[in-house]
Amino acid sequence: MSQQVYAVEAVDLYKSYGDTWALNGLTMRIGPGEIYGLLGPNGAGKTTTLKILAGLLKPSRGYARIYGVEVSSRRVEALRLVGYVPENPVVFQNLTVEEFLRFVAALRGLDWREVSGDAEYYLEVFGLAGRKDSFMGELSRGMVQKVLVSAAFLVRPKVLLMDEPTAGMDPESQHVFKEEVRRLSSKGVTSLISSHQLDSVERLCTRVGIIYKGRLIAEGTVEELKSRVSEKPGSTLEEAFLKIVKSGESGG
């Protein structure tokens, strides 16, 4: 029987910043087509996890793989499979929106003629069609976020790594984002989304992991996590999250 290959695999990840340990043996595995929500309080290790998976940080111990490709040792190969939206957007402010998308496509070795139609589609659905000649530095935070999400979708990834991807977005654009993630999921694209917007995670994600002090302390579908802490009908993911984190704090 062949060994299963996961879309995203993090095994026994440790990461220290000086004397502070951001990750303490984090292990999680995500299959093709899953929409996985990564939750945790501030400082739990969510952003560190995504940066390791995106090849921006090296773990102190353990390993991360994208479709079986070890990220630290085969970073370029692994990142060909990934679309990434960082928590804190860093963009070339003197590039126009279209120039930025062309630049991202070129970095991935994509012919603009092949993806220009996708670029036009995403700019249209995110309400940016009239801003393609605007400089990135002129855009609001929400608009920049929509461009970054469009760029991540544009590279035709097998895995999307997204850290607070809807930050600053208007409700209509958040809806567009969720619908596109669902559409890509139906085609086998895996999404790992770190977010504090628990109501959005509850409606979007097929599975959720909760990390606390650099460890995965709970994992399952939204319904499984809710039933774990309450049998009360109508309970929310937010209630489950707060109880699970509190339990983690008390060592329960």
Side-chain angles (χ1 to χ4, degrees):
M1 185 175 178
S2 62
Q3 184 177 2
Q4 180 174 356
V5 176
Y6 294 95
V8 176
E9 188 176 19
V11 176
D12 201 29
L13 285 183
Y14 286 79
K15 179 62 182 178
S16 66
Y17 299 102
D19 295 330
T20 301
W21 287 91
L23 296 180
N24 286 283
L26 176 73
T27 294
M28 65 180 183
R29 295 177 174 91
I30 306 171
E34 283 199 78
I35 305 172
Y36 189 102
L38 187 62
L39 307 180
N42 291 335
K46 302 184 300 298
T47 293
T48 296
T49 300
L50 264 68
K51 284 184 174 180
I52 288 174
L53 289 166
L56 299 175
L57 290 174
K58 287 191 174 183
S60 304
R61 201 171 92 200
Y63 64 85
R65 291 174 176 163
I66 303 294
Y67 274 99
V69 180
E70 208 278 322
V71 178
S72 292
S73 62
R74 299 162 64 190
R75 182 173 182 267
V76 173
E77 185 180 350
L79 293 190
R80 288 196 186 105
L81 306 173
V82 170
Y84 177 57
V85 179
E87 178 187 30
N88 297 311
V90 178
V91 296
F92 296 95
Q93 300 205 5
N94 293 324
L95 292 181
T96 67
V97 169
E98 182 174 319
E99 287 170 343
F100 177 76
L101 295 178
R102 283 177 176 266
F103 173 70
V104 171
L107 284 178
R108 294 305 184 87
L110 296 170
D111 188 326
W112 181 250
R113 291 170 296 183
E114 294 180 5
V115 297
S116 60
D118 290 347
E120 289 179 9
Y121 167 76
Y122 288 123
L123 292 179
E124 180 67 34
V125 297
F126 279 119
L128 294 169
R131 303 302 297 267
K132 68 178 184 178
D133 295 321
S134 297
F135 291 108
M136 295 291 291
E138 299 173 347
L139 303 182
S140 67
R141 168 66 192 276
M143 287 183 178
V144 168
Q145 202 69 18
K146 290 190 283 188
V147 176
L148 292 176
V149 167
S150 297
F153 290 157
L154 184 68
V155 298
R156 299 178 178 176
K158 294 184 71 174
V159 171
L160 284 160
L161 304 173
M162 299 182 285
D163 199 348
E164 299 291 350
T166 59
M169 281 192 193
D170 55 89
E172 182 178 356
S173 296
Q174 291 184 36
H175 175 75
V176 169
F177 168 81
K178 287 182 280 192
E179 288 300 301
E180 185 63 14
V181 168
R182 291 189 184 103
R183 185 185 74 82
L184 292 171
S185 173
S186 72
K187 295 181 177 296
V189 177
T190 300
S191 291
L192 172 56
I193 303 170
S194 171
S195 179
H196 286 111
Q197 298 183 18
L198 301 191
D199 54 341
S200 292
V201 169
E202 182 168 2
R203 291 192 294 269
L204 176 63
C205 294
T206 56
R207 201 154 59 97
V208 172
I210 298 175
I211 63 174
Y212 180 70
K213 292 186 176 180
R215 287 183 176 271
L216 189 70
I217 62 171
E219 186 179 50
T221 67
V222 170
E223 292 306 317
E224 286 170 346
L225 292 179
K226 290 195 292 187
S227 65
R228 172 173 165 171
V229 299
S230 175
E231 296 181 359
K232 180 180 66 175
S235 62
T236 66
L237 178 60
E238 180 181 40
E239 292 169 335
F241 170 78
L242 293 172
K243 288 180 180 179
I244 289 169
V245 170
K246 186 175 181 181
S247 176
E249 289 175 343
S250 63

